[in-house]
Structures are given as C-alpha cells and as structure tokens.
Amino acid sequence: MDAPQFDPQAFGLPESPALVLDLSDEEVTRRLGRALAQSLDAGAFVGLIGNLGAGKTTLVQSLVRTLAPDAEATSPTYTLLNEYETDPPVVHVDLYRLETYDELESIGYWDYAESGFAITCVEWLDRIPEAWPREGLILEMERVDSQRTARLWATPGFDTVAADISERLTS
Ligand SMILES: Nc1ncnc2c1ncn2[C@@H]1O[C@H](COP(=O)(O)OP(=O)(O)OP(=O)(O)O)[C@@H](O)[C@H]1O
Ligand SMILES: [Mg+2]
C-alpha cells in the first residue's frame, strides 16, 4: 500500500519546498543534519515526515553530534522523547508508537516544544499533526527502494533559515 501523500497545505506550508535534495548516500543525509545544526537557533522546530528507514533518525543523530561530538542520539521510539544537553539543547521526539495527542500532552510536550530553549525534532509528525506548532521547518524524507529524497519546507518565518541551509549545502 502506498503511504498517503504529504500535503504541505494541510501544514500551512507554501506550495513548493525550499530545497529538494537527492540523498544519494548516508553521508549526504549527515551533511544535511550538520547544515541544520549550523543554521538553527534555540526555539526552532523541525518536523520529520517520511517512511520507515528514510533516514529521519540518522539526520537527527548528525544534528546532535554536530552540536556535541560526544553525544549519542539513539532512536527515541521506546522512550518517546530524548533531551540532549547540547548547546542549544536538542529535544528528539518520535511519534511512531504514540496513539493519541493526549498522551503527548501528558508528557509535557509543549513545555519542551515551546520552551524556546531547545531545537525540537519530531519524527513521524504526520501521525499526530496537532503536534506541529505551525512555525518552523518540515523535512519530508522519502525512500523508494534504495533511492532517498529530502524536501525541506519552511513556514514564511523560516525562509531565511531554509536559504541558509541551502547555501551551506551548495557552497
Ligand atoms: N542516504 C541515506 N540516508 C540515510 N540513511 C541511509 C541512507 N542510505 C542508507 N541508509 C541506512 O538506512 C537506515 C535509515 O535508518 P533511520 O533509522 O535513520 O530511518 P528512520 O527514517 O528514522 O526510520 P524509522 O521510521 O524506523 O524511525 C540506516 O540503517 C542507514 O544506515
Ligand atoms: Mg527513526
């Protein structure tokens, strides 16, 4: 069965992505993670949408390691939320096993996501669209067999951040 198509309009995003990237190997995914680490400030939100094995956790790992080379970012699938004491801190959430928005609220999600102190990265954001603060970046990662593609979407307030990320990847 095909995964439902990502609908940028439903997330209040423009019609076209700010950046489309062919993730030809894992190093390209890691470079994108590094570019995000270098371009994002505390308070930024990054939603990660994409099928199993698309590279969402790999990207967050790279982002965390760029901010703190010794930090180990594991998949938070079983813990729901991991917080890394990087500078700025990174909050890594995985909604894959979450059933309801109430569950998310009960772990204090918004205290993390809207604290302004951390970069918040949320895998499987499309499973609980209410978790999207409607401001920030959405990275759509698609894997078809061994082909991987990333599309970076930005709300208007994050246009310059997206341009900065593109610049880092192309220069
Ligand atoms: N271009 C690539 N980018 C990212 N990962 C790649 C790439 N090529 C191969 N891989 C491999 O694919 C796997 C991606 O796994 P990862 O856990 O990052 O995916 P995910 O999107 O978080 O999946 P899940 O939905 O299960 O959380 C890793 O084992 C990685 O080594
Ligand atoms: Mg993952």
Side-chain angles (χ1 to χ4, degrees), residues 102-134:
D102 287 353
E103 259 179 88
L104 188 64
E105 267 204 314
S106 71
I107 62 158
Y109 174 73
W110 291 110
D111 296 338
Y112 291 100
E114 296 208 313
S115 70
F117 287 114
I119 296 172
T120 303
C121 299
V122 180
E123 289 189 47
W124 290 98
L125 180 69
D126 48 332
R127 287 186 65 94
I128 315 260
E130 299 93 321
W132 167 233
R134 301 193 77 79

Coordinates of all heavy atoms in Angstrom, one line a residue, residues 102-134:
D102 N -3.4 13.3 23.4 CA -3.5 13.4 24.9 C -2.2 12.8 25.5 O -1.7 13.4 26.5 CB -4.7 12.7 25.4 CG -6.0 13.5 25.1 OD1 -5.9 14.6 24.6 OD2 -7.1 12.9 25.4
E103 N -1.8 11.7 25.0 CA -0.6 11.0 25.5 C 0.6 12.0 25.4 O 1.4 12.0 26.3 CB -0.3 9.8 24.7 CG -0.7 8.5 25.3 CD -0.3 7.3 24.3 OE1 0.8 6.9 24.3 OE2 -1.1 7.0 23.4
L104 N 0.7 12.6 24.3 CA 1.8 13.5 24.0 C 1.7 14.7 25.0 O 2.7 15.1 25.5 CB 1.7 14.0 22.5 CG 2.8 14.8 22.0 CD1 4.1 14.0 22.0 CD2 2.5 15.4 20.6
E105 N 0.5 15.3 25.1 CA 0.4 16.4 26.1 C 0.7 16.0 27.5 O 1.3 16.8 28.2 CB -1.1 16.9 26.0 CG -1.3 18.0 25.0 CD -2.5 18.8 25.4 OE1 -3.6 18.2 25.7 OE2 -2.5 20.0 25.4
S106 N 0.4 14.8 27.8 CA 0.6 14.3 29.2 C 2.1 14.2 29.6 O 2.5 14.2 30.7 CB -0.1 13.0 29.5 OG 0.5 12.0 28.8
I107 N 3.0 14.1 28.6 CA 4.4 14.1 28.9 C 5.0 15.5 28.9 O 6.2 15.6 28.9 CB 5.2 13.1 28.0 CG1 5.1 13.6 26.5 CG2 4.8 11.7 28.1 CD1 6.3 13.1 25.6
G108 N 4.2 16.5 28.8 CA 4.7 17.8 28.8 C 5.3 18.3 27.5 O 6.2 19.2 27.4
Y109 N 4.8 17.7 26.4 CA 5.3 18.0 25.1 C 5.5 19.5 24.8 O 6.6 19.9 24.4 CB 4.4 17.4 24.0 CG 4.8 17.7 22.6 CD1 5.9 17.1 22.0 CD2 4.0 18.6 21.8 CE1 6.3 17.5 20.7 CE2 4.4 18.9 20.5 CZ 5.5 18.3 20.0 OH 5.8 18.7 18.7
W110 N 4.5 20.3 25.1 CA 4.6 21.7 24.7 C 5.6 22.5 25.6 O 6.1 23.5 25.2 CB 3.2 22.4 24.7 CG 2.4 21.8 23.6 CD1 1.3 21.0 23.7 CD2 2.6 22.0 22.2 NE1 0.8 20.7 22.4 CE2 1.6 21.3 21.5 CE3 3.5 22.7 21.4 CZ2 1.5 21.3 20.1 CZ3 3.4 22.7 20.0 CH2 2.4 22.0 19.4
D111 N 5.8 21.9 26.8 CA 6.8 22.6 27.7 C 8.2 22.5 27.0 O 9.0 23.4 27.1 CB 6.9 21.9 29.0 CG 5.6 22.1 29.8 OD1 4.8 23.0 29.5 OD2 5.3 21.3 30.7
Y112 N 8.4 21.4 26.3 CA 9.7 21.2 25.5 C 9.6 22.0 24.2 O 10.4 22.8 23.9 CB 9.9 19.7 25.2 CG 10.2 18.9 26.4 CD1 9.3 18.1 27.0 CD2 11.5 18.9 26.9 CE1 9.6 17.3 28.1 CE2 11.8 18.1 28.0 CZ 10.9 17.3 28.5 OH 11.2 16.5 29.6
A113 N 8.5 21.7 23.5 CA 8.4 22.2 22.1 C 8.3 23.7 22.0 O 8.7 24.3 21.0 CB 7.3 21.6 21.3
E114 N 7.8 24.3 23.1 CA 7.6 25.8 23.0 C 8.4 26.5 24.1 O 8.1 27.7 24.4 CB 6.1 26.1 23.1 CG 5.4 25.6 21.9 CD 4.2 26.4 21.5 OE1 3.4 26.6 22.4 OE2 4.0 26.7 20.3
S115 N 9.4 25.8 24.7 CA 10.2 26.5 25.7 C 11.0 27.6 25.1 O 11.4 28.5 25.8 CB 11.1 25.4 26.3 OG 12.2 25.1 25.4
G116 N 11.4 27.5 23.9 CA 12.3 28.5 23.3 C 13.8 28.1 23.6 O 14.6 28.8 23.0
F117 N 14.0 27.1 24.4 CA 15.4 26.8 24.8 C 16.1 25.8 23.9 O 17.3 25.7 23.8 CB 15.5 26.3 26.2 CG 15.2 27.3 27.2 CD1 14.1 27.3 28.0 CD2 16.1 28.4 27.4 CE1 13.9 28.3 29.0 CE2 15.9 29.3 28.3 CZ 14.7 29.3 29.1
A118 N 15.3 25.0 23.2 CA 15.8 23.8 22.5 C 15.5 23.9 21.0 O 14.6 24.6 20.6 CB 15.3 22.5 23.1
I119 N 16.2 23.1 20.3 CA 15.8 22.7 18.9 C 15.0 21.5 19.1 O 15.5 20.5 19.6 CB 17.0 22.5 18.0 CG1 17.9 23.7 17.9 CG2 16.6 21.9 16.6 CD1 19.2 23.5 17.1
T120 N 13.7 21.5 18.6 CA 12.9 20.3 18.8 C 12.7 19.6 17.4 O 12.3 20.2 16.4 CB 11.5 20.8 19.3 OG1 11.6 21.5 20.5 CG2 10.6 19.5 19.5
C121 N 13.1 18.3 17.4 CA 13.0 17.5 16.2 C 12.0 16.4 16.5 O 12.1 15.6 17.4 CB 14.3 16.8 15.9 SG 15.6 18.0 15.6
V122 N 10.9 16.3 15.6 CA 9.8 15.4 15.8 C 9.7 14.4 14.7 O 9.3 14.9 13.6 CB 8.5 16.1 16.1 CG1 7.4 15.1 16.4 CG2 8.7 17.0 17.4
E123 N 10.0 13.2 14.9 CA 9.8 12.1 13.8 C 8.4 11.7 13.8 O 7.7 11.7 14.8 CB 10.7 10.9 14.1 CG 12.2 11.1 13.9 CD 13.0 9.8 14.0 OE1 12.6 8.8 13.4 OE2 14.0 9.9 14.7
W124 N 7.9 11.4 12.6 CA 6.5 10.9 12.3 C 5.5 12.0 12.8 O 4.5 11.7 13.3 CB 6.3 9.6 13.0 CG 7.0 8.5 12.4 CD1 8.2 7.9 12.9 CD2 6.6 7.7 11.3 NE1 8.6 6.9 12.0 CE2 7.6 6.7 11.0 CE3 5.6 7.8 10.4 CZ2 7.6 5.8 10.0 CZ3 5.5 6.9 9.3 CH2 6.5 5.9 9.1
L125 N 5.8 13.3 12.5 CA 4.9 14.3 12.8 C 3.5 14.2 12.2 O 2.5 14.6 12.8 CB 5.5 15.7 12.4 CG 4.7 16.9 12.6 CD1 4.7 17.2 14.1 CD2 5.3 18.1 11.9
D126 N 3.5 13.5 11.0 CA 2.2 13.3 10.4 C 1.3 12.4 11.1 O 0.1 12.4 10.8 CB 2.4 12.9 8.9 CG 3.4 11.7 8.8 OD1 4.3 11.6 9.6 OD2 3.2 11.0 7.8
R127 N 1.8 11.6 12.0 CA 0.9 10.7 12.8 C 0.1 11.5 13.8 O -1.0 11.1 14.1 CB 1.8 9.7 13.6 CG 2.3 8.6 12.7 CD 3.0 7.6 13.5 NE 2.0 6.8 14.3 CZ 1.4 5.7 14.0 NH1 1.8 5.2 12.8 NH2 0.6 5.1 14.7
I128 N 0.6 12.6 14.3 CA -0.2 13.5 15.2 C 0.0 14.9 14.7 O 0.8 15.7 15.3 CB 0.4 13.4 16.7 CG1 0.6 11.9 17.1 CG2 -0.5 14.1 17.7 CD1 -0.5 11.2 17.9
P129 N -0.7 15.3 13.7 CA -0.5 16.7 13.1 C -0.7 17.8 14.1 O -0.1 18.9 13.9 CB -1.5 16.7 12.0 CG -1.8 15.3 11.7 CD -1.7 14.5 13.0
E130 N -1.4 17.5 15.2 CA -1.6 18.6 16.2 C -0.3 18.9 16.9 O -0.3 20.0 17.6 CB -2.7 18.2 17.3 CG -4.0 17.8 16.8 CD -4.2 16.3 16.4 OE1 -3.2 15.7 15.9 OE2 -5.3 15.8 16.7
A131 N 0.7 18.1 16.8 CA 2.0 18.4 17.4 C 2.8 19.4 16.6 O 3.9 19.8 17.1 CB 2.8 17.1 17.5
W132 N 2.3 19.8 15.5 CA 3.0 20.8 14.7 C 2.7 22.2 15.2 O 1.5 22.6 15.2 CB 2.5 20.6 13.2 CG 2.8 21.7 12.2 CD1 1.9 22.3 11.4 CD2 4.1 22.2 11.8 NE1 2.5 23.2 10.5 CE2 3.9 23.2 10.8 CE3 5.4 22.1 12.2 CZ2 4.9 23.9 10.1 CZ3 6.5 22.8 11.6 CH2 6.2 23.7 10.6
P133 N 3.7 23.0 15.6 CA 3.4 24.3 16.1 C 3.0 25.3 15.1 O 2.8 26.5 15.4 CB 4.7 24.7 16.9 CG 5.7 23.8 16.4 CD 5.1 22.6 15.8
R134 N 3.1 24.9 13.8 CA 2.7 25.7 12.6 C 3.8 26.8 12.3 O 3.5 27.7 11.6 CB 1.3 26.3 12.7 CG 0.3 25.2 12.9 CD -1.2 25.6 12.6 NE -1.5 25.9 11.2 CZ -1.8 24.9 10.4 NH1 -1.8 23.6 10.8 NH2 -2.1 25.2 9.1

